Amino acid sequence: MIRVTLLGTAAARPTPGRNVSGLAIQHAGELLLWDCGEGTQRQMMRYATGFNPTCIFITHVHADHILGIPGLLRTMGLQGHRDRVEIYGPPRSRSVLEDAVNLGTHRVPFPVQIQELEPGDDVERSGYAIRTFPVSHGVPAVGLALIEPDRLGRIDVARARALGVPEGPDFGRLHRGESVEVDGRTIDPAELVGPARPGRKVVYTGDTRATRPVEDAARGADLLIHDATFGDEEADRAQETGHATAREAGRLARNAEVRKLVLTHLSARYADDPMILARQAREEFPGAKVGRDGMVLEVPYPPGVE
Ligand SMILES: [Zn+2]
Ligand SMILES: [Zn+2]
């Protein structure tokens, strides 16, 4: 299961109902954080995401995306965490991230490794990768995609037995696409093995205009979490400040043929009544949802791919 918990859905500053940017991803027992605005650690407690991320990915070093790092690392230390934590940021983010890690007089009692990522870089994890992609926000910034590799096609075990394939290594060979010999007859894997089954993809834009590279990165995503700071009436401001409108996010989601769209990074102006953003996005992408703090998004395999 891939489980995404939205920890903060407000732009720039928190409101009584929404914290600033952060989301938690749980994948096969591992916890990742994507962005870590002020107060993220308290949101992790409140929404029970677990408290020991192995990696923190930062889309860009605007304060509303990083001020939660010092407090979170201190609390992890107080709770006895001693394993290494990896922090990944966009180009030219290292010195700011180092400052965030080292702020205060107590040293963090575990190793913290900081690494800058260029758009297009992959961070390989066990069973998936995090791939960065270019965004347009007026400062060095990347979007983030969790990508699972395709899995082997399903093997028709009953038919394999009926053809006399002995259980054991020959099953594995067929599964990997190699032909095998049974009683002098060559068995082609295409007879027994279905097409490769696509892995899942979760895409988070961070702060950005809705650009073609973002659309390319989002193509076919099972879940897209997109900047929707403004509504139509503030489209000019979105352009000036390097953000997207809800409608632009909806249009991009439709063009990229994603399965699910969730809007985030809402301007305080819409915090209490975000339905105007939902309506505008849904005119482009009917299922669009407005994110809220604590929203849990489970990402199943597409129907028929299980
Ligand atoms: Zn922001
Ligand atoms: Zn920003």
Side-chain angles (χ1 to χ4, degrees):
M1 178 50 71
I2 300 176
R3 174 185 298 215
V4 179
T5 305
L6 302 186
L7 300 171
T9 52
R13 64 179 172 87
T15 69
R18 294 177 186 272
N19 202 48
V20 285
S21 290
L23 59 86
I25 299 192
Q26 290 157 285
H27 185 291
E30 189 174 23
L31 174 66
L32 310 179
L33 276 183
W34 285 4
D35 281 336
C36 189
E38 177 190 355
T40 291
Q41 61 168 322
R42 192 141 185 278
Q43 299 291 78
M44 294 166 74
M45 296 172 191
R46 177 177 290 165
Y47 301 124
T49 61
F51 211 72
N52 288 307
T54 53
C55 305
I56 303 172
F57 289 84
I58 300 295
T59 58
H60 65 298
V61 294
H62 278 160
D64 59 318
H65 296 252
I66 61 164
L67 285 183
I69 293 173
L72 171 63
L73 297 182
R74 290 309 169 291
T75 304
M76 288 170 67
L78 288 172
Q79 291 186 339
H81 186 94
R82 295 295 178 265
D83 297 332
R84 185 178 66 163
V85 172
E86 299 165 24
I87 301 182
Y88 296 92
R92 306 208 293 282
S93 61
R94 175 181 295 279
S95 70
V96 174
L97 293 174
E98 281 174 354
D99 287 348
V101 171
N102 295 315
L103 193 63
T105 51
H106 285 90
R107 283 180 57 77
V108 175
F110 49 84
V112 178
Q113 176 195 303
I114 296 173
Q115 190 179 329
E116 293 179 356
L117 299 173
E118 298 288 333
D121 281 353
D122 275 346
V123 176
E124 295 290 341
R125 307 300 300 172
S126 164
Y128 64 96
I130 306 299
R131 180 171 303 160
T132 59
F133 60 89
V135 299
S136 175
H137 187 47
V139 297
V142 292
L144 300 167
L146 182 156
I147 298 173
E148 291 179 324
D150 290 352
R151 294 168 302 153
L152 298 173
R154 204 178 289 289
I155 187 163
D156 185 340
V157 173
R159 189 162 150 72
R161 286 199 187 114
L163 288 170
V165 180
E167 304 219 10
D170 280 352
F171 265 66
R173 283 191 196 104
L174 283 166
H175 208 179
R176 292 192 301 273
E178 300 164 25
S179 52
V180 299
E181 295 272 332
V182 175
D183 301 332
R185 176 175 173 250
T186 301
I187 296 183
D188 185 332
E191 291 181 58
L192 295 171
V193 182
R197 293 167 294 165
R200 291 166 292 185
K201 180 154 105 169
V202 175
V203 176
Y204 166 57
T205 63
D207 297 4
T208 185
R209 301 282 301 139
T211 60
R212 187 58 195 259
V214 174
E215 183 185 317
D216 291 343
R219 185 148 327 277
D222 298 279
L223 171 63
L224 170 63
I225 301 163
H226 201 294
D227 180 322
T229 307
F230 297 113
D232 289 347
E233 52 292 335
E234 292 196 277
D236 291 346
R237 218 169 137 218
Q239 183 149 15
E240 286 158 21
T241 56
H243 290 289
T245 66
R247 181 180 303 280
E248 289 165 343
R251 195 176 300 139
L252 183 145
R254 188 187 67 216
N255 291 340
E257 299 182 348
V258 309
R259 287 176 62 212
K260 185 168 191 158
L261 169 65
V262 174
L263 308 175
T264 191
H265 205 268
L266 277 52
S267 162
R269 172 176 170 165
Y270 306 95
D272 295 335
D273 182 18
M275 284 320 289
I276 183 170
L277 298 181
R279 274 196 300 277
Q280 291 172 0
R282 283 174 191 160
E283 284 174 24
E284 308 288 341
F285 188 90
K289 281 196 161 48
V290 175
R292 58 176 165 71
D293 293 15
M295 183 183 263
V296 175
L297 301 154
E298 309 241 343
V299 186
Y301 286 106
V305 176
E306 200 65 25

